[in-house]
Amino acid sequence: MGDRPVPPQRDRRASGSGGSRRKGPSRKAKKQRSGTKRVFMWIGGTLAMLLVVGCAAGWYLYNRFNNNIEKYDVGIENPYQSDEPVNILFIGTDTRDGDGNDSYGGDASEGADTTILMHFSEDRTNATGLSIPRDLITDIPDCEVVQEDGTRVTIPGSQGVRFNQSMGTNGRDPGCVWRTVEELTGVSINHFMMADFNAVKDLSSAVGGVPVCVEEPIDDPKSHLQLDAGNHVLEGEEALAFVRTRYSVGTGSDLSRIELQQQFLASMARQITERDLLSSLGSFYDLADAATKALAVDTEIGSIDKLYGLASEVGQVPMSDMTFITLPVVDNPAEPEDAKATVVIDEGRARPIFQMLQQDVSMTDDGSEEGASDEGGDAEGQPEAVPAADIRVDVYNGGDVIGAAQETLAWMQNTHGMTLATNEGNAAAPQAETTLEFGRDQAGMAATLAELMGLPESALQEQPEDAGDQPMVLVLGDDFAGAGQPIEVAPERPEDLEGITADDEDVCAS
């Protein structure tokens, strides 16, 4: 490695994100507990539209509905390929335009009240819908918004705010939600679809009602929903009340409401695929007209033929392999015990889920099928491990966690006796991923440190020459989660993670 200059100190700034696929400046746009009166808007109509255009014959009929579709230029181009996974962001807002919608409590914020990241696998055999709680405390990145006159304005980001504020607040648009979810999950999104209050009312009526089940009677003064225990078929106002109910089910939080939403969405999907709704022109017309009127999309899929192409791809996934889960969260520890209103991500349980989505691993099995990471290999041909006490390494902080290098050094020295490790401060430049640079004669050291830290194979950067007395160089990236926490986690579904599949007709809200 030769004489290597020590990287200079750098400002402790959170680095922005970028990428050649984005136009203009970089911007990014668990169950949770809501402490506000703002209500949820359902997005079932957007998935319904996908299913409709994927199943119906004579797609040329859709041309009459093109003008129904609202389109947003979010400044992002990331088209999907037929041999790649497809990631679609579904957004439900609490916009209340329309008859009767102003009766649903609170003031409309046009916030991201309901957000589901739908991941369709590369081979189109399975899909995962990840619900993101609206009251999750997270960071919202800078995002560029196109104004009505065509000019572009960059909306500054916010740190430590509700996820709901990724849209509507300060003029943020769906592209800001897109960028926020990408930053949160590490999943590259291809397109978004958005709907408001009218979607659930119109689509539920267009499909002839949506079957739901509740274990206990519901009498919710906020949503105005009154249901006896048992099975019901809901449409219109009653369907909207069902998906925004939370005070009278489960824990009375938004986490329980998410479960209702998932049940409703899965049931609506079954209605469209299992009933003979598309055999008559009248039924088809009503459904397609309602769906397109409820739909807003990015400009890259802002026409019927493009939606048809997208639906042809994702419509291949069987209902039995379409799984809905909720991002694991815990109560916000910064709030007093008697006033819990927000949640924070449960890092230990969420990171494997993000890995599964990133690596295209199905949620409907044990994570062992194709698409899972298969790194490491067997022990044959691996370098001989070196005792931790003999490891020489300089630690630099290249990530966005202040104090990461010192925290890691303390863990190395106090937990593993690495007295030869040193903290060299900030790296010369920020980097997203952690790296370990080592010489040919340090392969054993690198193997030991990589195992202790849970470093992925991609982090190891062997140099062509021996290092001699030079220490290895460890640069912590944005993927640093904390000293002692693996950089790489197994892409396996947490054992206690609950969810439903779209073909599950036995789901009953409790």
Side-chain angles (χ1 to χ4, degrees):
M1 297 194 300
D3 295 330
R4 181 173 47 250
V6 175
Q9 302 292 300
R10 67 178 177 86
D11 293 338
R12 300 309 307 156
R13 293 191 299 250
S15 58
S17 64
S20 59
R21 67 180 176 86
R22 303 189 187 277
K23 292 183 175 179
S26 171
R27 55 259 182 262
K28 291 186 186 277
K30 322 181 169 151
K31 302 181 178 182
Q32 53 187 136
R33 304 177 188 270
S34 172
T36 71
K37 293 182 179 180
R38 290 178 182 148
V39 301
F40 156 80
M41 142 51 229
W42 185 238
I43 60 164
T46 57
L47 182 57
M49 180 58 189
L50 278 181
L51 295 171
V52 169
V53 297
C55 300
W59 67 268
Y60 61 86
L61 292 175
Y62 303 151
N63 287 322
R64 73 182 69 184
F65 304 126
N66 264 325
N67 291 335
N68 286 349
I69 303 172
E70 184 178 3
K71 295 172 281 293
Y72 282 81
D73 179 0
V74 296
I76 303 175
E77 290 184 4
N78 187 28
Y80 65 90
Q81 304 295 326
S82 60
D83 59 348
E84 296 176 349
V86 179
N87 297 300
I88 304 173
L89 190 64
F90 292 96
I91 305 169
T93 75
D94 66 2
T95 301
R96 303 176 193 185
D97 295 336
D99 293 341
N101 290 343
D102 58 356
S103 66
Y104 286 100
D107 297 324
S109 67
E110 297 189 359
D113 263 17
T114 301
T115 303
I116 299 179
L117 174 60
M118 285 296 304
H119 169 85
F120 297 90
S121 67
E122 176 182 324
D123 59 10
R124 310 296 187 251
T125 62
N126 63 86
T128 298
L130 177 66
S131 293
I132 301 174
R134 54 158 286 165
D135 292 325
L136 172 70
I137 296 300
T138 189
D139 294 339
I140 300 172
D142 295 350
C143 62
E144 187 180 78
V145 174
V146 178
Q147 306 298 296
E148 290 185 3
D149 61 2
T151 60
R152 296 176 182 268
V153 175
T154 298
I155 308 298
S158 302
Q159 285 71 50
V161 297
R162 276 182 167 92
F163 176 85
N164 175 259
Q165 296 184 27
S166 60
M167 184 171 161
T169 302
N170 299 328
R172 295 183 176 115
D173 70 357
C176 301
V177 188
W178 181 325
R179 294 169 177 88
T180 301
V181 173
E182 282 195 337
E183 186 170 274
L184 175 69
T185 64
V187 175
S188 179
I189 297 170
N190 302 102
H191 299 292
F192 87 86
M193 294 183 175
M194 182 176 70
D196 63 13
F197 268 13
N198 296 306
V200 69
K201 296 196 297 184
D202 295 345
L203 265 297
S204 61
S205 296
V207 301
V210 177
V212 299
C213 174
V214 293
E215 288 187 357
E216 302 291 338
I218 294 178
D219 185 1
D220 194 315
K222 298 291 186 179
S223 67
H224 314 301
L225 180 67
Q226 293 182 324
L227 292 178
D228 295 330
N231 297 311
H232 301 271
V233 177
L234 307 181
E235 62 177 287
E237 298 289 346
E238 199 172 28
L240 178 57
F242 179 80
V243 298
R244 62 171 296 276
T245 289
R246 63 184 171 116
Y247 295 104
S248 301
V249 294
T251 62
S253 73
D254 210 46
L255 297 178
S256 297
R257 183 167 60 175
I258 287 177
E259 295 176 359
L260 293 183
Q261 296 162 4
Q262 292 174 346
Q263 178 191 162
F264 188 91
L265 178 57
S267 182
M268 179 179 283
R270 289 196 303 272
Q271 287 296 97
I272 296 172
T273 56
E274 295 176 2
R275 294 179 60 187
D276 197 19
L277 294 175
L278 303 174
S279 61
S280 72
L281 182 59
S283 296
F284 163 71
Y285 183 94
D286 291 343
L287 188 56
D289 187 50
T292 52
K293 285 179 178 178
L295 195 61
V297 301
D298 59 282
T299 51
E300 297 302 306
I301 53 171
S303 66
I304 296 299
D305 57 334
K306 291 180 179 178
L307 284 172
Y308 175 78
L310 176 59
S312 297
E313 291 282 345
V314 303
Q316 304 172 45
V317 178
M319 292 289 104
S320 59
D321 291 309
M322 185 177 292
T323 305
F324 293 93
I325 60 174
T326 303
L327 180 67
V329 297
V330 295
D331 286 340
N332 186 352
E335 295 176 334
E337 288 299 324
D338 60 349
K340 296 293 186 183
T342 61
V343 293
V344 296
I345 190 171
D346 184 341
E347 292 284 353
R349 297 173 65 234
R351 288 181 66 207
I353 295 173
F354 296 156
Q355 291 284 340
M356 294 180 76
L357 295 175
Q358 294 164 14
Q359 299 180 29
D360 196 22
V361 178
S362 173
M363 291 281 178
T364 57
D365 56 33
D366 60 7
S368 61
E369 69 176 38
E370 286 186 34
S373 175
D374 186 24
E375 298 177 351
D378 55 34
E380 186 176 349
Q382 297 298 315
E384 183 177 351
V386 171
D390 294 338
I391 292 177
R392 301 187 307 276
V393 60
D394 289 343
V395 183
Y396 294 90
N397 187 6
D400 54 10
V401 178
I402 297 175
Q406 183 57 40
E407 179 185 348
T408 300
L409 179 67
W411 173 78
M412 289 177 170
Q413 293 180 340
N414 299 334
T415 305
H416 297 286
M418 299 184 198
T419 58
L420 301 180
T422 60
N423 173 10
E424 296 296 331
N426 295 329
Q431 59 187 57
E433 298 178 350
T434 296
T435 57
L436 177 62
E437 183 181 320
F438 60 97
R440 292 183 307 181
D441 55 342
Q442 295 175 320
M445 288 187 194
T448 298
L449 186 57
E451 181 177 358
L452 291 174
M453 293 189 64
L455 297 179
E457 186 176 333
S458 59
L460 305 182
Q461 300 181 356
E462 182 174 357
Q463 303 303 300
E465 300 177 356
D466 290 347
D469 294 332
Q470 295 280 350
M472 298 186 295
V473 174
L474 173 68
V475 181
L476 303 173
D478 292 338
D479 56 1
F480 173 80
Q485 296 190 38
I487 299 295
E488 181 180 56
V489 296
E492 298 175 354
R493 177 171 173 164
E495 292 183 0
D496 59 348
L497 181 68
E498 297 182 356
I500 64 171
T501 55
D503 70 332
D504 190 351
E505 300 183 16
D506 297 326
V507 176
C508 201
S510 59

